[in-house]
């Protein structure tokens, strides 16, 4: 995993930031890429990069410039492409020549030869910024499941122009000298109702947007005005099929095993996070078959270490069974409070759940031993693993006479919100209400409601449990993956999620 920062404006203008300023803003992401850095500045486009080296330390330096006679692409991105060798072989058969082992070169060549249509060939996690030099277009893209975040803002600058700033974390974007720092209190109200940093494209800062899962934005830089010429989302929408229970079991087993093996690929050590639950146990057992020196890590409260029903206790048992090199991180109440405050300060956002603290502290313990960690996120949203929410959803399906998107969105809000919507205005103090209003949230400006309604509209037949799993992937999984990414990267560790993989999703839909 790495850190990306960039800024662009129309060709007829000059950026308000010089290269030194861009590098300084990218250095706010140094924890995402402590191993190397690079930058370029072309007057109206600048890209900067912080690198965590996991594959081809020499060949994957960024920003990366495509080679050959094909259209020129300069690339800065964050993530891993797990099928890059397949793509490389296909491009080589068409005459492409490669000079490194890096998936960065594969991606740059693919974009050069195929343009944004090439993104459909990717299997992996990514947030991409690519400048197509000859056509003077800038493309931002995020993987279909939303594993890797990307934030952006179109910022008015002195002289009447506008600059597009984008980065792997919000902090780098809002540090732009011309960004007007102001909370989006409608989103803050939604946060208090259902804690998360993003609601689709909306964030907790007014004027700051998040690239949505599967979204591609294409900006025209030629001329005297920055213009977004196209924006669209690639939504995984595989049609479910039926097969026997035995066939389904083998199909899923093969897909998950292959995915774990693909996610282990790296030049640096890769470990697994282990909770003792079924998801992380499956991943650790497959990884252990490929690596006799597998390291596993677990974290929890220091008061839970000996409790037989705790994650720590169960992880210890699984590690003993697998014979892994197991590490435990015990967190005291005092450590928790200190880390909570530090993460809020460094991340420029409130935390959504307490386990973000545990994951961040865990990453600090992992870093001396491994640069990447496999985790079990994604299994519940693909295979229906949330017991109580699933039962509540099935009850709604059985009892509801109308399975329209608005009714489904209202159900999700009522059933799974952390605070009743009517109570949210009471959580603002009088000073905030006097300055920004009551924010009781009508349907015209309701970030949470819009996210839920859009997810339900895109999910299909809401009398089917498969549609509700699609809603979980859009609403819950993206939030989980974002939290995992930001928390693990505090300690410079890449989180890899074998269940949140398009081929595993395909198997889940066909099983």
């Amino acid at each position: 995993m790495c850190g990306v920062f960039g800024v662009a404006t129309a060709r007829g203008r000059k950026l308000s930031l010089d290269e030194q300023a861009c590098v300084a803003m990218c250095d706010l992401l140094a924890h995402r890429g402590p191993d190397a850095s690079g930058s370029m500045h072309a007057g109206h486009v600048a890209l900067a990069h912080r690198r965590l080296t996991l594959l081809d330390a020499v060949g994957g330096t960024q920003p990366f410039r495509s080679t050959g006679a094909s259209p020129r692409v300069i690339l800065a991105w964050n993530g891993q492409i797990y099928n890059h060798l397949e793509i490389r072989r296909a491009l080589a058969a068409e005459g492409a020549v490669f000079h490194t082992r890096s998936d960065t070169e594969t991606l740059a060549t693919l974009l050069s030869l195929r343009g944004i249509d090439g993104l459909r060939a990717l299997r992996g996690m990514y947030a991409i910024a690519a400048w197509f030099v000859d056509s003077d277009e800038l493309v931002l893209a995020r993987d279909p499941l939303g594993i890797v975040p990307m934030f952006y803002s179109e910022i008015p600058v002195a002289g009447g122009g506008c600059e597009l700033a984008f980065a792997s974390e919000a902090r780098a974007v809002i540090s732009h000298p011309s960004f007007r720092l102001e909370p989006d209190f409608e989103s803050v109200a939604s946060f208090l109702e259902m804690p998360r940093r993003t609601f689709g494209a909306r964030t907790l800062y007014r004027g700051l947007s998040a690239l949505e899962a599967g979204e591609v934005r294409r900006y025209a830089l030629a001329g005297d005005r920055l213009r977004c010429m196209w924006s669209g989302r690639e939504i995984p929408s595989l049609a479910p099929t039926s097969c026997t229970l035995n066939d389904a079991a083998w199909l899923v087993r093969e897909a998950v095993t292959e995915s774990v093996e693909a996610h282990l690929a790296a030049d640096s050590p890769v470990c697994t996070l282990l909770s003792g639950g079924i998801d992380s146990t499956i991943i650790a057992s497959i990884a252990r078959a490929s690596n006799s020196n597998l390291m596993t890590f677990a974290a929890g409260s220091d008061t839970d270490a000996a409790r037989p029903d705790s994650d720590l206790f169960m992880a210890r048992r699984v590690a003993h069974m697998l014979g892994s090199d197991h590490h435990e991180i015990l967190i005291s109440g005092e450590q928790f409070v200190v880390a909570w405050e530090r993460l809020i300060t460094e991340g420029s956002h409130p935390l959504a759940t307490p386990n973000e603290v545990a994951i961040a502290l865990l990453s600090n313990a992992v870093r001396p031993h491994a640069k990447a960690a496999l985790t079990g996120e994604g299994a519940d949203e693909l295979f229906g693993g949330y017991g109580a929410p699933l039962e509540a959803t099935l009850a709604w399906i059985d009892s509801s006479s109308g399975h329209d998107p608005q009714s489904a969105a209202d159900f999700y809000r009522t059933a799974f919100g952390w605070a009743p919507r009517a109570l949210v205005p009471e959580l603002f103090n009088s000073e905030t209400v006097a300055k920004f209003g009551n924010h009781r949230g009508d349907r015209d400006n309701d970030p949470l409601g819009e996210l839920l309604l859009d997810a339900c509209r895109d999910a299909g037949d809401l009398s089917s449990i498969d549609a509700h799993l699609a809603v979980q992937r859009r609403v819950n999984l993206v939030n989980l993956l974002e939290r995992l990414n930001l928390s693990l990267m505090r300690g410079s560790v890449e989180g890899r999620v074998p269940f949140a993989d398009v081929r595993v999703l395909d198997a889940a839909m066909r099983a």
Side-chain angles (χ1 to χ4, degrees), residues 237-258:
S237 56
L238 306 167
T241 59
S242 59
C243 59
T244 68
L245 181 61
N246 284 340
D247 287 344
W250 277 108
L251 180 67
V252 170
R253 182 188 183 96
E254 289 178 355
V256 171
T257 300
E258 190 276 335

Side-chain angles (χ1 to χ4, degrees), residues 14 30 33 65 78 85 87 119 121 137 173 202 218 220 236 256 282 284 336 346 348 396 410 429 455 478 481 498:
K14 185 178 179 180
R65 293 162 172 81
N78 176 16
L85 292 178
I87 295 172
L119 295 172
E137 295 176 2
V173 177
R202 290 183 69 167
R218 186 176 175 186
V256 171
I282 288 171
F336 182 91
E346 294 177 354
S348 302
W396 178 83
D410 291 341
N429 61 35
V478 171
L481 296 174

Side-chain angles (χ1 to χ4, degrees), residues 215-274:
E215 185 178 6
V216 179
R217 295 182 68 84
R218 186 176 175 186
Y219 288 87
L221 306 182
D224 59 1
R225 184 171 63 89
L226 177 73
R227 180 169 59 92
C228 181
M229 56 191 297
W230 186 84
S231 176
R233 291 183 60 240
E234 187 79 14
I235 303 173
S237 56
L238 306 167
T241 59
S242 59
C243 59
T244 68
L245 181 61
N246 284 340
D247 287 344
W250 277 108
L251 180 67
V252 170
R253 182 188 183 96
E254 289 178 355
V256 171
T257 300
E258 190 276 335
S259 182
V260 171
E261 292 170 348
H263 282 68
L264 287 169
D267 292 341
S268 301
V270 178
C271 69
T272 71
L273 304 188
L274 186 60

Side-chain angles (χ1 to χ4, degrees), residues 71 167 191 216 486:
F191 172 89
V216 179
L486 296 174

